[in-house]
Amino acid sequence: MKPASRAVHAGRDLGARSPLAPDLSPAAVHVFTDLEDYEAVASGEKPGHFYGRNSNSNREMLERAVAELEGGQAGVATASGMAALHGAILALAPKPTTIVATRELYGGTSALLRQDLEPAGYEIHFVDLTDLDAVRRAIGDAGLVIAETITNPLCRVADLAAIAAMARERGVPFLVDNTFATPLLCRPLDLGATAVMHSATKYLGGHSDLVAGVIVGDALTMGVARARASRTGTPLGPFDAWLALRGLRTLDVRMRRHSENALILARAMRSLAGVARVHHPLLEDSPSYPVARRLMPNGSGGMMAFDLEGGRAAVQRMIKRFSLATFAASLGGVETTISYPEITSHRSMSSEERAELGVGPGTVRVSVGIEDPADIVADFTQALS
Ligand SMILES: Cc1ncc(COP(=O)(O)O)c(C=O)c1O
């Protein structure tokens, strides 16, 4: 099946009288009449569910669907993207080691690395992953490499295939946060990554109405992640899994439209008054353009950013003037939203650290929605006029 069809059908086996949309199964526990039957289900010998923290039919369907879309053997769905990230890190690097992570990491991820893993003995090296020589130098003594397909907020794209090859050569696991691209636009496992994680809160769900995460990888690693998720109590609840799967069914059409709209807005914004710089990986003058074209030939999704002259005061004026776009500290929904990294995704960094990354007081991240592009461009144009 082609990816668009897979998004529609993945994760389920329909037979005669199957519900076409999955039933919602909120049961915390299932009843058994035979002790041996319970033992067989609880040990995984037989399919079925016995307790909601261990497994659930809605969660299982979502896990199978995302694993199928990413081209992995198995998936684990968690209560948030952060739980997925933490679970993936502990599955790939269970003992304190050196983690090489992209310098432009999502703020929540760098907070997890610094505030939870560093005190536990992990050493974190933040590296510009678009600089392959720097990666080669850093990877030597690493126990894990973490990258994002498209960085947050400046939308840079590192050569994941080259990094995966270096990691593989040295036997270092490579984890990719594929939240911004989704498996419809990029499949990091095909490029050589060991595992992939998602904040399904974003594009996979797609409607800003749930918080969820998913990890995908080989069956052994996912077995480890699943067992720990059960022990630590981080699995995704049934209704959020049901909603995420409902959203996933339209992923292909949404990602096409997000990709088209973001490129239209990025091009239009280059000539708007007060816009100093526009960041979009598929703008020809982006430093990431050649790599992004190669890794994401069908588009790069709805994320872009721009730097506004006049800093925070100018950003505030723009927000007050919006009639279609809104300020909301998330991304990946059908509506066009903006985020202000200084006080949202990157608030745990100092202003010096943000400046080093190129994130200034005028940096605005846009999650371009699926509205008519003419309306989106018109709203930014009037808001900045
Ligand atoms: C790239 C990326 N990864 C991970 C996360 C964390 O996901 P969640 O908020 O679902 O825990 C986010 C959230 O904004 C994100 O943008």
Side-chain angles (χ1 to χ4, degrees), residues 80-83 106 109 148 152 177 179-180 197 199-202 211-212 331 365:
S80 68
M82 290 315 301
Y106 163 60
T109 305
E148 292 173 357
N152 183 2
D177 181 336
T179 299
F180 278 25
M197 62 73 48
S199 167
T201 316
K202 320 299 181 195
V211 173
L331 64 107
R365 190 189 74 187

Side-chain angles (χ1 to χ4, degrees), residues 208-371:
S208 307
D209 54 7
L210 63 97
V211 173
V214 184
I215 321 168
V216 172
D218 65 88
L220 197 69
T221 310
M222 292 305 103
V224 170
R226 177 186 306 286
R228 184 170 283 116
S230 296
R231 287 197 301 275
T232 55
T234 57
L236 181 62
F239 184 51
D240 282 345
W242 188 94
L243 274 178
L245 191 70
R246 188 185 205 269
L248 191 72
R249 298 308 186 201
T250 56
L251 188 61
D252 182 76
V253 283
R254 284 188 286 109
M255 292 317 288
R256 279 171 199 269
R257 180 73 166 207
H258 282 299
S259 299
E260 280 169 19
N261 283 3
L263 202 49
I264 291 170
L265 181 65
R267 290 201 172 116
M269 288 209 73
R270 289 200 288 202
S271 53
L272 293 189
V275 175
R277 248 184 324 271
V278 179
H279 309 275
H280 184 292
L282 291 175
L283 283 180
E284 289 77 0
D285 55 4
S286 162
S288 294
Y289 180 74
V291 176
R293 273 299 298 260
R294 177 157 48 84
L295 297 191
M296 289 176 278
N298 298 323
S300 62
M303 300 310 297
M304 56 163 286
F306 62 93
D307 297 322
L308 200 54
E309 286 162 8
R312 187 170 177 145
V315 174
Q316 177 63 78
R317 277 201 301 278
M318 176 186 72
I319 290 170
K320 292 262 193 232
R321 293 181 58 132
F322 277 144
S323 62
L324 176 143
T326 50
F327 167 73
S330 188
L331 64 107
V334 291
E335 309 87 353
T336 296
T337 58
I338 66 128
S339 169
Y340 185 51
E342 186 170 291
I343 61 162
T344 58
S345 56
H346 289 64
R347 67 176 300 145
S348 65
M349 289 182 184
S350 66
S351 53
E352 292 76 27
E353 285 170 325
R354 281 194 297 269
E356 216 175 289
L357 294 181
V359 177
T363 304
V364 174
R365 190 189 74 187
V366 191
S367 171
V368 184
I370 63 168
E371 302 95 338

